[in-house]
Structure formats: structure tokens, C-alpha cells
Amino acid sequence: MTGRDHSRKGQGASAYRLEKLRRQSLKPGVEGAEGSRGGPHANAVVDCGWGRLVFANTFDDTRALTDILLKEKPQRRDIAFYVQEPHVVLSYAPQDLFLDPSNTYRLYPYNYRRTKRRPRGFHIRRLSTREDAVAVNRIYAERNMVEVDPDFYWTEGDARALSHFVAQDNRTGEIVGTVMGVDHGRAYNDPAGGSSLWCLAVDAQSPHAGIGEQLVRQLAEHFQARGCAFMDLSVMHDNAQAIALYEKLGFERLPYFAIKTKNAINEKLFAGPAFGAKLNPYAMILVNEARRRGISVEVLDAEEGYFRLSHGGRSIICRESLTELTTAIAMSRCANKRVTRRLLGQAGLLVPAQVTAGDAEANAEFLDRYEAVVVKPLDGEQGQGVAVDIRSAEELEKAVAAARKVDDRVLIEQFMAGFDLRVIVIDFKVVAAAIRRPPQIQGDGQRTVRDLIRRQSRRRAAATGGESKIPLDKETKRCVADAGLDLDDTLPAGQVLTVRRTANLHAGGTIHDVTDQLHPKLVDAAARGARALDIPVVGLDFIVPDPAGPDYIVIEANERPGLANHEPQPTAERFIDLLFPQSIPSGLQPVRKRSIGHGPAQD
């Protein structure tokens, strides 16, 4: 027999063994299989903190499986996985249970290929401290996922069965991603030796690429090192981005089903599409809250975000968070930044020095007085025409010329260093506050600044439904040039570059909730500012050295703030409270809905 024949025979035998292994491990592991450890535990349930994972393949009595699901605790999400006869389970409680519209995928060790590419700008480790658990909850809340009591990881969680990993930013130390997995052998003595992936979530504000993929790889390699035969996961059928990642890593789709209870957390999964018209995220968050309360919604102009809400004989037209309750006078006060500043100053709030742009000599004189200035069109939004931290007369004239393309009237304002803080005020009460940070990129030693900006822009667009992108305009080029670089230069590995000085979300900025940290003096200033402008819904922009401190200046007011940017704070709930106070449940505030993701929040 030749060497080639030996090779072919070996390949055939190997393929046969792999196929046999695949056929055997395709079974969830209870169909007559008795492992060396005495077979699987009956009626296996694992508490995951966000809810219970019910292994349906360990239940001989379908009625018992149904009863377990009907005992779900409030504000939790139980999942029955590996359901082989979903129609029978649903027949016992059709009003309480539903078939989850997710697909099951499995990764076999022989399909998985390790990569030599290591994480850039972050590393992955085990969740190990209470601070880690709190940071994971921040990501869960950002992604509308059910949060986990931080004490669960050490007091109630099964440390043998559950594995938790986090991704940590090398530079800032922030937790930017998380994943949880279940070892089936340790959870219920699974003869098939399986495992599964749950709760993969990535911080939408992180500038790093590939966090989700690296977390999946970490968990897969962790379970492979334990000798697990496969790793399964459940992902929404229409999550094309996640499915593409899983298929790239070698996952195969399997015919297994999941069943969940009909609760407020799962509502969007069993109630059908949230709304037929395609509205942007800023309108949808309000429409969904209104419909949840039984308020009628009529879309008037989906492209521009106009809709009418009607309830109990009252009808109000909205354009996202701008409503008929905001008068034309209040709107004009916010639109004219000079008037905004004057009214806020008259109310006793701290505001920056400001002049109307004139000739080059007068402009240069104002610059000399304050050393650094901000240039902005008198009437503008979404950061258009705004240039920040101008320090030379030449730059100043260029910035004024660019701002005049947005509005002939241009303001020059004293520049104040600090954090850009957006405070949401509804019905003259502070509801949410967040630090807005300018877009940044981090070098990898291979890609150009231009490529890194485009990649980061795509990630921001994916995380915000296309609302946030980094424009390659004069302001971006100016910021890059100020750092001594060109767009076609390669950014050294690890170097962080701020590519715009404005923090507007539409221009690629990121937002970080600080509501619980806000100093009482800032809360008071925001409420007084809304009163001075006499506007019921407003986003006030502050510059602060620290959101937990009392120092500030107020720079702008936005009459149509994006409330979706401030989840999980209850901005939509308070907005509907303002419009339709009779829709508030008697004696209760509306319950905030959160859901837990099975596939990744894509980075």
C-alpha cells in the first residue's frame, strides 16, 4: 500500500469518527444514554441570576416542565432549552407560554479553528470582583438585558457549572464586554458532555473591534479544555450579524427549540413586530412605551419622526421628543444659542462669555482674551459647523467660515475644558444625565488613521441603528493634523487619538450614564434652566470638571433631545407620564422593560 493510500485511508477513518461523534453528540444527552456517573439528573434547572435555565431534555413529564415555567419569579426570564415537543408544552398553557423565535447553533471542537490574532486594546479574564459584577450590570442595562444581583456570583450561583468572563480595556480598566457559559456535565451530569453560551454582551461605547468574537472564543476554548463535546447557543432568527459571526467560527444550526413565559420582559418576542412603520430609535422608544400603555399611535411622517398619540380624548402630535406642549417661543429660545445663553444667565446660571463673530480683528481680540474658543452657528444642531478649542487666529477664521455654511450668524464662545454633560429634564425634573465623549480611535500599528476612523464609524453606526457616524470632514482632519498626523499615516499600536473635539452622538461620540453621580447643584441648575426657558422636555448641555462636583457652566439647550440615548434611565416612561398622566398605573410608576440577550450585542 502506498503512502498516498495510507493517507486516504487515514482521512476516511478520521472523517468517519468525526461524523459518528457528530451524530452521537447531536442528541442533548438523555435519550437512553447512561454515563459513567449514573446518567443525567432528572428535571435539571440551573439558576443563572437573570432567571433559570431549564433543561427540557431532562424532563420525562412534559406537564412537569410546564409547571416549572409557570413558577417564574417576577423580573426574571426563565428559558426552557432543548424542548423537543414544543407543541405539547404550549398546549398546556397557551396563554402563558410561547415558542421563542430563536435558532439553536452548536460548535463542535473539530469545526473550531483557533486564531493567532490576539485581542487589541483589551484582554479577557474571569469575573472576579463585585466591581466586575456592577460593571457587567451596566452593560446589561445598556443592552436592555435583565440585571443580576452582584451577590449572586458568590452566594447563589453554582460556581462549578457557571463560568463568567469579562473583557477589560487595557488603558482605562473599564469592563467592555461579558459572556456567561454553562457546563452541562457539572450542571446536570450530562452524558453527552455538552456546554452552552449565554449572555454575550459588548459595551456599545467601546472603541475596540472584535470584543464579541474574542469572548466567544474564550468560552469555547475554556469548555474544550474541560473536555466538553460541544458548545450550544440560542440566537434570534433575524440577528444576521451575530449569525454571521457564529457561522464564521464554525457553529452549525440544530433543530432544538426554546420556550419562555409571556411576561413584560419578553413582550416584543411574542407580540409580533413592535410597529409597522420604520421610525428612528428616538421615535420608536416613545411609540413602544405609548403602545405598552394602550395609547393609540398614528405615524404621520416616518422619515422625519412625526407621530400622533391619542388616549382618553386627548391627542398630541410629536416629532420624537418634541411635542405640541413645547411652545414656539420655547423652541425659538433653544434654537437661538445667543438667546439661550442670555436667559440662562439672567436666571443666575453660570454661562460662558460669548460674542457674535465679526471681522477678523474683532474675532482675534476675543481669542486673545480667552486663549481658546468654540465656534458655532447661531442656529444649528447635531454638532454641524461646530469647532472646539480653537487657539490661533488663522484657525478661527477657517472655523467661522465653516460655521457660516450652516448659518450666516456665527457665535464665538469662551472654551472651557472639562466633560461634556447632557442632562435630560422632563416636566422640570431631572430624569437622566450622561457624559458625552468625543470619538476616539486606537492604533494597531497596521492600519491608517483613515481606516481606523471608518472602522470605528461602522461600529458606532451598528450600535446606534445608523444614527452615529464619524464624518471625514474638515473638523476631523483638523483634529488629526493637530496631533501631528495625516489621515493616511499609520497609527502606532496602542496610541489613542481623539478625532473630533465635539462629543455629539451623531458625529460618532459616545455616551456614558452618570445619573446616580450627579451633584445636587447640577440637578438644581438643570431644573432652573428648564424653567428659565419654559420648556417641558429639554436636554441641557453642561461643561463640568466632574459630574459629582458642583462646578459647571451651561452652554446649550436642545429642544428635541434623543431620549433613547439614555437607557436604562426611564426617559420614555417620564415622557409619556407628562403627555398622558392618566395612563400611569394607579399607585405605581410604569415598569421598565428589560430583556436578556442570547446572541451577542455586536461590536
Side-chain angles (χ1 to χ4, degrees), residues 70-245:
L70 295 179
K71 293 177 182 178
E72 180 182 69
K73 293 182 179 179
Q75 298 302 307
R76 286 293 177 263
R77 180 188 234 182
D78 292 348
I79 303 172
F81 199 43
Y82 298 132
V83 181
Q84 295 178 309
E85 295 182 334
H87 55 294
V88 177
V89 178
L90 294 177
S91 72
Y92 290 131
Q95 302 303 319
D96 300 299
L97 304 177
F98 71 98
L99 184 64
D100 181 37
S102 296
N103 293 326
T104 301
Y105 281 79
R106 174 169 291 179
L107 180 66
Y108 297 101
Y110 55 81
N111 277 346
Y112 178 73
R113 296 291 179 269
R114 292 175 181 259
T115 179
K116 295 181 180 179
R117 184 168 64 89
R118 311 315 304 165
R120 294 184 180 274
F122 65 94
H123 63 279
I124 296 174
R125 59 172 176 81
R126 281 189 179 271
L127 184 150
S128 58
T129 68
R130 184 180 177 84
E131 289 72 21
D132 289 347
V134 172
V136 165
N137 271 344
R138 174 185 60 80
I139 297 176
Y140 283 170
E142 177 186 278
R143 292 296 188 176
N144 290 325
M145 298 165 71
V146 175
E147 296 175 36
V148 177
D149 182 348
D151 292 333
F152 169 84
Y153 298 96
W154 293 276
T155 61
E156 298 179 55
D158 185 345
R160 295 182 65 257
L162 304 180
S163 297
H164 300 87
F165 292 94
V166 294
Q168 185 172 27
D169 190 293
N170 293 339
R171 182 174 61 89
T172 66
E174 291 183 350
I175 301 301
V176 294
T178 180
V179 69
M180 187 205 84
V182 180
D183 184 325
H184 297 179
R186 299 186 181 193
Y188 65 94
N189 206 23
D190 178 17
S195 64
S196 53
L197 176 154
W198 302 91
C199 299
L200 178 61
V202 173
D203 187 345
Q205 316 301 333
S206 175
H208 305 300
I211 297 174
E213 177 178 341
Q214 292 295 339
L215 285 166
V216 175
R217 288 185 178 277
Q218 174 69 39
L219 195 64
E221 292 169 16
H222 166 71
F223 283 137
Q224 286 181 19
R226 284 189 174 184
C228 294
F230 55 82
M231 183 173 77
D232 291 347
L233 58 82
S234 180
V235 58
M236 283 293 294
H237 70 96
D238 57 355
N239 192 343
Q241 199 170 14
I243 290 171
L245 167 63

Side-chain angles (χ1 to χ4, degrees), residues 466-531:
E467 294 294 320
S468 181
K469 298 177 182 178
I470 307 174
L472 281 167
D473 58 9
K474 291 182 180 179
E475 176 63 9
T476 300
K477 293 175 182 176
R478 180 178 75 85
C479 291
V480 172
D482 285 350
L485 295 167
D486 185 83
L487 288 175
D488 294 318
D489 290 340
T490 299
L491 193 62
Q495 181 175 333
V496 176
L497 175 64
T498 299
V499 297
R500 293 180 74 84
R501 293 196 177 94
T502 55
N504 299 78
L505 296 180
H506 285 85
T510 58
I511 190 163
H512 309 264
D513 183 72
V514 294
T515 306
D516 295 338
Q517 306 170 32
L518 207 59
H519 192 278
K521 189 171 181 179
L522 301 185
V523 173
D524 177 67
R528 288 165 55 204
R531 291 280 184 190

Side-chain angles (χ1 to χ4, degrees), residues 33 60 130 186 190 269 330 390 430 450 476 500 574 577 588:
D60 291 329
R130 184 180 177 84
R186 299 186 181 193
D190 178 17
L269 300 179
I390 301 294
V430 171
R450 187 190 307 275
T476 300
R500 293 180 74 84
R574 299 296 86 81
D577 290 352
L588 297 172

Side-chain angles (χ1 to χ4, degrees), residues 375-377 381-387 399-400 402-404 406 410 473 500:
V375 175
K376 59 179 71 172
E381 61 180 3
Q382 299 180 0
Q384 295 178 353
V386 177
V400 169
R404 282 189 171 134
V406 179
V410 174
D473 58 9
R500 293 180 74 84

Side-chain angles (χ1 to χ4, degrees), residues 322-344 354 377-381 407 409 411 529-530 532-538 555-560:
L322 178 65
T323 78
E324 294 174 292
L325 301 187
T326 297
T327 66
I329 294 297
M331 185 173 174
S332 67
R333 287 170 172 172
C334 292
N336 189 315
K337 295 177 175 60
R338 185 168 52 201
V339 173
T340 301
R341 175 191 170 278
R342 185 163 58 244
L343 288 172
L344 295 178
Q354 186 185 86
L378 184 71
D379 186 355
E381 61 180 3
D407 189 328
R409 303 160 298 173
L411 300 176
L533 298 170
D534 194 21
I535 186 167
V537 180
V538 65
I555 56 173
E556 286 187 20
N558 189 316
E559 75 280 2
R560 185 164 52 98

